[in-house]
Amino acid sequence: MQVSKSLFFGGNWKAVMTPQMTRQFFQTFKAKIRQSGNTIADSGATIMIAPPSTSLIIASSEISTMMYKVGTASTLHANFLKLGVQDPWHRSGAYTGATTLEAAKELGVDYAVIGHSETREPWRIILNALKNVPGSPTDKEVLLSSLDAFILKELKIDSPKPASFRLALDAVINQLVIESLKVNIIPVICVGETLEERKAGQTNNVVLTQLNSALTGLSPQDIVKIIVAYEPVWAIGTGETATPEQAEEVHSSINDRLVKLTGNKDHEIPIIYGGSMNGKNVGELVSQPHISGGLIGGASLKPDVFMQLILNGIKAVS
Ligand code: PGA
């Protein structure tokens, strides 16, 4: 099968699936993969599942034993099926609730979802609260930037022993990206604007600022290893999807920035879309020149729904 580009579909399960649900999901999902024959492998697509940490070990064993057979060929390992970790932390130690990159790597994780808007949210709330503090706009700007600097100092993010709490500031996300690459886990870096930011015409500025911060200090050789997920915050879990044109506009400027940073060709780094992607809208989205797949929440939880979305996506680029 000839496809115009290799797609990446990531299932971001957030905190939804229990270990038992994970096992059940894979039973059906693996059967669906077998039914689809060589469609996925031939298309060059990658499918990633990022379950909650409590399901990583089960998902890992399901994925490593996923075999399929096409025609008379001997059984093949489905190496297009990959494991992801959500919101990892880069150091072991006194970080209650965290899942380390080291532990994830031991379980066969290849991808890490980093900087998702749900993890950026606490910081966004703090910034918004401060915007409402009385004072002139300049006073507030000064206050906000000094707070940012103060928290970063307290976090000691790049020291051998960062502080014992986590807050997804841009500089923290950058550190997670750097450390993921060190252990050969590919960061799926999420960027995206809120509705207020979109209405204020700040979409590109917000997204490119997040991207630049996430990639600070990385060499072009490292940047080409990443995946960027454009996820407009207002489209996540809301059933409201960015139109293909709205998404393409942002993907195209992310692509321009990546080309500038790496000197590489267009399309070299996958830029995927996230925010209420489903089996109906996937075709139009991935048909856009700079959209190479999706990061999918709700529609990745049911094996038949997720598989249909993947197959529809592949069909649209075939
Ligand atoms: P959604 O979530 O598909 O449920 O909108 C996407 C995401 O948050 O990654």
Side-chain angles (χ1 to χ4, degrees):
M1 184 204 314
Q2 279 290 325
V3 290
S4 54
K5 57 187 159 189
S6 302
L7 298 175
F8 180 96
F9 294 102
N12 177 14
W13 284 0
K14 309 188 181 183
V16 182
M17 305 285 263
T18 66
Q20 206 178 340
M21 288 156 86
T22 303
R23 219 183 290 276
Q24 281 161 0
F25 174 94
F26 275 102
Q27 252 177 28
T28 315
F29 196 62
K30 284 160 79 167
K32 295 260 158 209
I33 290 180
R34 288 188 201 103
Q35 271 165 30
S36 69
N38 48 5
T39 311
I40 301 171
D42 278 5
S43 77
T46 301
I47 303 172
M48 174 204 78
I49 304 277
S53 296
T54 41
S55 285
L56 273 175
I57 196 155
I58 290 176
S60 170
S61 105
E62 293 286 350
I63 288 173
S64 61
T65 54
M66 171 63 216
M67 308 297 285
Y68 72 114
K69 193 169 159 83
V70 181
T72 53
S74 49
T75 7
L76 300 165
H77 181 237
N79 47 16
F80 48 81
L81 188 57
K82 303 282 189 192
L83 186 61
V85 61
Q86 303 172 23
D87 187 31
W89 191 240
H90 62 295
R91 295 272 190 280
S92 66
Y95 306 102
T96 303
T99 305
T100 61
L101 285 164
E102 190 189 359
K105 191 71 204 172
E106 216 176 282
L107 291 177
V109 160
D110 283 316
Y111 294 88
V113 178
I114 292 175
H116 191 281
S117 61
E118 285 150 17
T119 68
R120 293 180 190 259
E121 198 54 18
W123 181 232
R124 218 191 295 267
I125 291 171
I126 296 170
L127 291 182
N128 278 341
L130 281 169
K131 276 187 201 139
N132 295 327
V133 170
S136 75
T138 329
D139 288 348
K140 283 195 254 181
E141 277 304 309
V142 174
L143 180 65
L144 290 177
S145 64
S146 58
L147 180 73
D148 194 289
F150 175 75
I151 292 185
L152 266 181
K153 192 161 149 262
E154 289 291 303
L155 276 173
K156 302 194 213 74
I157 191 62
D158 49 4
S159 86
K161 192 176 184 323
S164 58
F165 70 101
R166 307 187 292 137
L167 196 56
L169 296 173
D170 281 331
V172 174
I173 290 164
N174 174 234
Q175 196 66 24
L176 295 175
V177 170
I178 292 171
E179 300 294 333
S180 293
L181 287 168
K182 279 191 193 155
V183 292
N184 286 324
I185 290 183
I186 298 174
V188 179
I189 304 169
C190 306
V191 295
E193 81 290 359
T194 61
L195 193 56
E196 295 73 48
E197 288 160 347
R198 174 162 280 267
K199 283 185 177 156
Q202 291 169 356
T203 300
N204 260 358
N205 185 23
V206 168
V207 165
L208 295 180
T209 306
Q210 290 173 345
L211 184 68
N212 274 347
S213 321
L215 301 180
T216 304
L218 263 69
S219 65
Q221 291 83 341
D222 274 340
I223 296 178
V224 291
K225 295 180 192 152
I226 64 157
I227 294 180
V228 179
Y230 167 56
E231 302 210 297
V233 180
W234 48 273
I236 295 177
T238 58
E240 194 174 337
T241 325
T243 63
E245 296 72 27
Q246 276 174 326
E248 171 58 22
E249 197 181 336
V250 183
H251 280 238
S252 161
S253 57
I254 293 174
N255 176 71
D256 288 351
R257 180 58 56 94
L258 292 172
V259 168
K260 210 166 174 178
L261 288 171
T262 59
N264 276 48
K265 294 193 299 291
D266 252 23
H267 306 295
E268 199 116 331
I269 298 167
I271 309 167
I272 60 175
Y273 169 83
S276 301
M277 186 181 257
N278 58 42
K280 289 209 173 79
N281 58 31
V282 62
E284 266 199 296
L285 285 161
V286 299
S287 300
Q288 300 297 314
H290 297 98
I291 303 185
S292 297
L295 187 59
I296 300 122
S300 72
L301 300 173
K302 296 220 168 76
D304 45 343
V305 174
F306 192 34
M307 184 52 73
Q308 199 54 57
L309 181 155
I310 292 165
L311 295 177
N312 290 355
I314 291 174
K315 199 165 164 208
V317 298
S318 301

